[in-house]
């Protein structure tokens, strides 16, 4: 990434985005035995197809969080109420089945693969708890955050406990390769948070910084979880790369749309305050694209929207610009890349469900 940004000061913003896109999608896996196959499978609803393997998901997570202290138990169970979308576990079990079918036509999810889905949801939830503390957030999924109810210190400890329980479950799988792959997620989450705390003056570097942060904070979990279940189900490194690239591209697209919804969705529908990123001083995709049309936003970005009226002005500029449309278009490109990857696997209902899932990512409204 550095070699791009260091010599890009004279590039236009669209050009650096195009260059970064090509760089970000360089892959060592260019072929697979089924890369030319066009599926005849009919439409598959990912949630319906993954329901069997996700049955009792949250009950199983709560079993991993067995604790005698009543208050800690209540805190840990708070977000595992079965009302979440279970988006990440669903991708993981569908990828597991797709890779198993590709390898030996096995349609069952292995116990170890399902464990990866559970661990992914636990890591994700622990990261949300910690994010809410860092951001001093007061609502999440339509209800008050842990830190608002129990305070910051206890919320941090609850997040730590969920993460430690996920680590125990990971060790129980007993595969050092899988442990290495999934612990990378935890490292990326921390590095991503540090990236979010920083900023770049140069607008081209700023966009690369934003996409790297997006990968580490959001997409790494999906990418590496998909890779983990592919390793457990298939010995072919090309398949591992396909699974990883699919997860990476879907994960980045998911976050790009999340950043769009921060400007286009109402707080009640989204389940958390809108314009939250601006209030935290964060310049996301819509802001960075809008900055091309309204250069005066540069000063606001550098001071992290800290002056009175900055948040309102920046939001106005974004909605007057094509920032939302450009960010949505970029998300579409990532989803198309994910589709190209997953179509390299042998046709199956699960593969088609993963294709449809990329469309759902783009169409979601919360």
């Amino acid at each position: 990434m550095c070699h791009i940004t260091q010599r890009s000061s004279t590039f236009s913003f669209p050009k650096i985005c195009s260059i970064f896109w090509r760089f970000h999608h360089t892959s060592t896996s260019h072929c697979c035995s089924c890369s030319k196959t066009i599926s005849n499978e009919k439409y598959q609803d990912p949630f319906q197809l993954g329901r069997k393997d996700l049955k009792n998901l949250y009950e199983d997570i709560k079993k991993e969080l067995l604790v005698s202290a009543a208050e800690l138990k209540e805190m840990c169970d708070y977000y595992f109420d079965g009302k979440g979308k279970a988006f990440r576990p669903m991708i993981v079990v569908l990828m597991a089945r797709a890779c198993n079918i590709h390898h030996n036509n096995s349609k069952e999810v292995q116990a170890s693969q399902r464990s990866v889905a559970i661990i992914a949801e636990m890591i994700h939830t622990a990261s949300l708890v910690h994010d809410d503390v860092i951001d001093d957030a007061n609502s999440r999924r339509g209800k008050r955050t842990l830190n608002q109810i129990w305070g910051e210190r206890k919320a941090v400890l609850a997040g730590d406990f969920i993460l430690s329980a996920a680590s125990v479950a990971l060790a129980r799988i007993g595969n050092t390769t899988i442990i290495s792959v999934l612990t990378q997620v935890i490292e990326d989450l921390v590095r991503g948070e540090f990236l979010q705390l920083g900023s770049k003056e140069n607008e081209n570097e700023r966009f690369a910084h934003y996409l790297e942060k997006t990968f580490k904070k959001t997409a790494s979990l999906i990418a590496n979880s998909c890779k983990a279940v592919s390793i457990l189900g298939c010995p072919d490194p090309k398949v591992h790369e396909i699974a990883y690239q699919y997860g990476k591209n879907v994960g980045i697209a998911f976050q790009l749309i999340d950043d769009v919804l921060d400007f286009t969705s109402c707080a009640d529908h989204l389940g958390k305050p809108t314009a939250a990123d601006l209030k935290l001083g964060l310049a996301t995709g819509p802001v960075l694209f809008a900055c091309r049309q309204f250069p005066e936003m540069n000063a606001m970005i550098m001071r992290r929207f800290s002056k009175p009226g900055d948040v309102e002005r920046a939001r106005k500029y974004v909605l007057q610009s094509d920032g939302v449309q450009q960010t949505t278009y970029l998300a579409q490109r990532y989803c198309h890349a994910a589709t190209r990857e997953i179509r390299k696997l042998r046709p199956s209902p699960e593969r088609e469900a993963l294709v449809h899932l990329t469309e759902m990512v783009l169409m979601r409204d919360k």
Side-chain angles (χ1 to χ4, degrees):
M1 194 174 304
C2 294
H3 74 276
I4 291 176
T5 55
Q6 284 170 356
R7 57 197 178 107
S8 63
S9 58
T10 60
F11 292 169
S12 68
F13 189 73
K15 188 171 183 180
I16 189 66
C17 286
S18 176
I19 290 172
F20 186 78
W21 172 264
R22 291 196 298 271
F23 170 80
H24 205 57
H25 285 79
T26 299
S27 169
T28 57
S29 176
H30 296 292
C31 61
C32 190
S33 59
C34 297
S35 61
K36 301 293 184 181
T37 306
I38 303 298
S39 172
N40 293 320
E41 298 290 342
K42 61 183 180 180
Y43 162 83
Q44 296 289 341
D45 182 346
F47 288 93
Q48 289 292 335
L49 203 54
R51 179 172 294 174
K52 170 189 164 186
D53 298 309
L54 296 181
K55 186 179 179 181
N56 300 322
L57 173 77
Y58 291 106
E59 288 80 359
D60 291 341
I61 289 175
K62 288 177 182 179
K63 289 176 184 176
E64 298 288 348
L65 296 169
L66 282 178
V67 59
S68 56
E71 187 178 38
L72 180 58
K73 175 176 172 50
E74 186 180 1
M75 292 172 70
C76 290
D77 289 351
Y78 187 68
Y79 286 137
F80 298 120
D81 56 4
K83 296 180 181 178
K85 296 184 288 289
F87 176 76
R88 289 155 188 82
M90 182 188 61
I91 290 180
V92 172
V93 296
L94 289 175
M95 182 61 75
R97 279 218 219 154
C99 291
N100 294 352
I101 291 169
H102 178 83
H103 175 52
N104 60 10
N105 210 30
S106 171
K107 297 181 181 180
E108 297 301 316
V109 172
Q110 301 172 23
S112 58
Q113 290 174 319
R114 189 174 184 278
S115 292
V116 171
I118 289 173
I119 292 162
E121 185 69 357
M122 293 174 74
I123 293 174
H124 170 60
T125 303
S127 74
L128 295 183
V129 173
H130 286 155
D131 278 356
D132 287 344
V133 172
I134 292 169
D135 300 341
D136 194 25
N138 53 31
S139 65
R140 167 79 65 180
R141 294 177 178 172
K143 59 185 183 179
R144 295 173 69 198
T145 56
L146 283 178
N147 45 294
Q148 287 293 315
I149 300 172
W150 285 282
E152 289 186 357
R153 293 184 179 182
K154 289 182 177 179
V156 169
L157 293 173
D160 289 346
F161 184 79
I162 295 169
L163 200 55
S164 69
S167 300
V168 171
L170 176 57
R172 200 182 302 126
I173 292 176
N175 184 311
T176 55
T177 302
I178 302 304
I179 291 172
S180 177
V181 168
L182 291 181
T183 51
Q184 181 64 49
V185 173
I186 300 172
E187 178 184 331
D188 284 344
L189 283 168
V190 176
R191 290 184 181 274
E193 196 62 52
F194 270 94
L195 284 171
Q196 184 164 285
L197 294 173
S199 60
K200 298 287 184 181
E201 290 191 30
N202 180 281
E203 67 179 75
N204 295 326
E205 291 181 356
R206 198 182 288 152
F207 203 87
H209 182 91
Y210 162 67
L211 286 177
E212 184 182 5
K213 180 267 297 181
T214 297
F215 169 74
K216 290 187 182 300
K217 283 202 65 178
T218 303
S220 174
L221 174 60
I222 301 173
N224 283 295
S225 297
C226 286
K227 182 178 180 179
V229 292
S230 74
I231 291 170
L232 290 167
C234 177
D236 187 351
K238 291 179 181 178
V239 173
H240 307 162
E241 182 68 10
I242 289 168
Y244 178 87
Q245 291 295 331
Y246 174 87
K248 182 188 80 172
N249 285 296
V250 165
I252 292 175
F254 185 93
Q255 186 58 50
L256 289 170
I257 296 299
D258 209 56
D259 294 342
V260 164
L261 292 174
D262 197 43
F263 289 94
T264 61
S265 185
C266 67
D268 288 343
H269 192 60
L270 200 57
K272 56 185 178 182
T274 53
D277 292 327
L278 287 176
K279 293 169 186 174
L280 292 169
L282 304 178
T284 58
V287 174
L288 296 177
F289 278 117
C291 195
R292 291 185 300 156
Q293 292 168 264
F294 299 98
E296 54 268 42
M297 293 181 71
N298 272 304
M300 288 189 280
I301 291 171
M302 290 311 299
R303 61 177 178 257
R304 300 179 76 89
F305 313 103
S306 59
K307 283 190 176 181
D310 275 358
V311 170
E312 291 76 16
R313 284 175 61 210
R315 179 175 170 79
K316 180 181 176 183
Y317 284 140
V318 168
L319 295 177
Q320 288 177 347
S321 74
D322 64 358
V324 164
Q325 292 88 343
Q326 289 293 334
T327 306
T328 302
Y329 173 64
L330 185 59
Q332 289 173 342
R333 292 178 68 179
Y334 277 103
C335 281
H336 292 160
T339 298
R340 285 196 302 272
E341 289 296 328
I342 202 63
R343 286 204 181 278
K344 295 174 183 177
L345 296 184
R346 180 176 291 123
S348 67
E350 288 74 15
R351 190 192 78 167
E352 295 313 305
L354 288 167
V355 170
H356 180 61
L357 190 111
T358 65
E359 300 165 12
M360 295 176 66
V361 165
L362 295 172
M363 297 296 291
R364 73 190 186 95
D365 57 3
K366 62 179 179 178

